[in-house]
Amino acid sequence: MSDEDFMREAVALARDNALQGGRPFGAVLVRDGVVVARAVNRIHETNDPTTHAELEAIRQASAALGSPRLDGATIYASGHPCPMCLAAMHMTGVKAAFFAYSNEDGEDFGLSTAKIYAEMAREPQAQSLPLRPLRPQGEAGLYEEWAGRRR
């Protein structure tokens, strides 16, 4: 199958999900030319805002392969992946991702994550949800303890 074939499948999943009352997002995760996972956005079913199609595909693939690493995989997403999904792709070793519909395509429908990308480009302390360090007094050694248990 070609990249376009995999993308057609992702878009078909998205279209079917929309017909079922969900959001128009689908994803296909492929490694070595083989489909490892197919998924759709499940927020409407779970009320879990992290059940994006790409993350669901990553979860399925990791379970199927028995590993949190998906090195060499490619994700075909019907829509432009949000920053959360893109970060997960980086963290799992996905090598490439394609999308059919851009943030610009989704803007008029409330389906764009361009504003979140712009916010995430700012320094963490300058974002609307500021990220600040706060280590309780006397707290130390968490990472060392973890590393010691791995040996």
Side-chain angles (χ1 to χ4, degrees):
M1 290 180 68
S2 70
D3 289 334
E4 189 168 324
D5 292 328
F6 293 129
M7 184 58 78
R8 285 188 190 284
E9 187 171 353
V11 172
L13 287 166
R15 190 164 272 123
D16 185 58
N17 196 50
L19 288 173
Q20 303 298 319
R23 293 175 174 229
F25 299 110
V28 175
L29 189 146
V30 176
R31 190 161 82 175
D32 299 325
V34 176
V35 174
V36 180
R38 295 171 175 88
V40 295
N41 181 296
R42 297 185 55 236
I43 293 173
H44 69 292
E45 297 172 9
T46 65
N47 292 315
D48 177 346
T50 69
T51 55
H52 290 197
E54 300 92 334
L55 287 182
E56 290 294 288
I58 287 170
R59 289 177 181 122
Q60 288 176 24
S62 293
L65 298 171
S67 174
R69 299 296 308 167
L70 301 173
D71 297 299
T74 299
I75 290 185
Y76 300 86
S78 62
H80 191 288
C82 75
M84 173 179 65
C85 292
L86 186 59
M89 291 179 210
H90 281 287
M91 293 177 75
T92 59
V94 168
K95 73 170 181 178
F98 297 92
F99 61 89
Y101 289 87
S102 69
N103 273 325
E104 292 77 18
D105 294 326
E107 185 68 38
D108 291 343
F109 306 97
L111 299 174
S112 173
T113 57
K115 289 180 182 174
I116 298 171
Y117 270 102
E119 183 72 16
M120 298 294 290
R122 300 172 68 191
E123 288 295 318
Q125 297 80 7
Q127 294 180 20
S128 62
L129 188 160
L131 180 63
R132 298 182 183 111
L134 176 62
R135 185 179 298 181
Q137 186 172 358
E139 174 57 44
L142 175 64
Y143 293 165
E144 291 81 2
E145 292 168 20
W146 174 80
R149 285 189 175 90
R150 292 185 65 208
R151 293 183 187 135

